[in-house]
Amino acid sequence: MPTTLPVPIEFELPEGWRAAPPDDVGAPGAAFVALHPLPDDGFTANITIDGEYRPDGAALSEIADASVERLRRASMSVVVTGHREVGSADAPGFTQTLAVSGIVGGVRRDLVQSQVYLSLLDVADPRKRVVIRLVLTATASQHPSVLDDFQEFVRTVRPDSGAAS
C-alpha cells in the first residue's frame, strides 16, 4: 500500500514521464512514482517520492547515510559517488549519488540513484520537521540522459499552497 506524505507538496513532471501506482510498480513504500517513457535494456527509469516526520535533530546527511545502509542490505553493492549540501538555512537540502548493483526482476543491474533530501518546517511549529526524499533510479547508461529531467522536476517541488489545513 503506498504511503502518504506527511505534508502535501506540488510538482510538475518532466515531459513524457507518467505517474504510476506505487504498488503496481513494486514501490509500496513510495507516496508517488513516475516512469520514464523509454526503458533502457528492460529497466524503466523512475522517480519516487517518500517522506516522514523527523522531529529529531538528525542532519540531512545522517538521514541520507541511513538510506544508504538500508539500500546496502537489499543490494549486492552500493557506493556513494558524490554528496553535498544544497539550499539555504531556510530551505536546507542534501543530495547524493549512488552506484547500485543488484538483482532487479531476476536480472543483475548496474543502476545509478540520484537522491535529494528536502527539509520542510511547519511555520506554526518549527519542531515539526518533515523530510521529503526524491529519488531518480536509472541504468548506469541511461542516467546521464534522464538526470536533466530529474533536476528540472526537483526545481518544481514545493509545499502545496492550495492544500486545506
Side-chain angles (χ1 to χ4, degrees), residues 2-165:
T3 62
T4 58
L5 293 175
V7 296
I9 62 171
E10 56 187 15
F11 51 84
E12 296 173 28
L13 284 177
E15 188 174 330
W17 290 75
R18 63 178 175 81
D23 284 338
D24 292 357
V25 294
F32 180 83
V33 175
L35 302 175
H36 189 267
L38 301 172
D40 179 48
D41 194 27
F43 183 84
T44 302
N46 60 80
I47 295 171
T48 60
I49 303 173
D50 62 36
E52 63 185 343
Y53 277 108
R54 290 298 302 241
D56 61 358
L60 291 177
S61 60
E62 294 171 326
I63 295 168
D65 288 346
S67 177
V68 169
E69 290 309 312
R70 283 190 303 277
L71 192 54
R72 280 193 174 121
R73 288 193 292 271
S75 303
M76 295 165 54
S77 168
V78 178
V79 177
V80 178
T81 60
H83 59 87
R84 67 185 173 104
E85 291 185 18
V86 295
S88 65
D90 292 338
F94 187 82
T95 68
Q96 66 183 5
T97 305
L98 312 173
V100 181
S101 292
I103 305 298
V104 180
V107 177
R108 185 178 190 280
R109 302 257 180 219
D110 291 323
L111 304 173
V112 176
Q113 273 197 356
S114 292
Q115 300 181 342
V116 176
Y117 295 81
L118 304 173
S119 182
L120 305 172
L121 296 179
D122 184 321
V123 291
D125 185 356
R127 294 171 296 173
K128 293 183 180 176
R129 176 175 74 143
V130 171
V131 174
I132 303 293
R133 182 174 68 149
L134 315 168
V135 180
L136 167 67
T137 305
T139 61
S141 60
Q142 190 178 30
H143 186 264
S145 67
V146 295
L147 183 58
D148 285 345
D149 281 355
F150 181 63
Q151 291 169 336
E152 173 187 320
F153 164 76
V154 169
R155 283 191 289 275
T156 71
V157 174
R158 61 196 168 279
D160 185 351
S161 56
S165 35

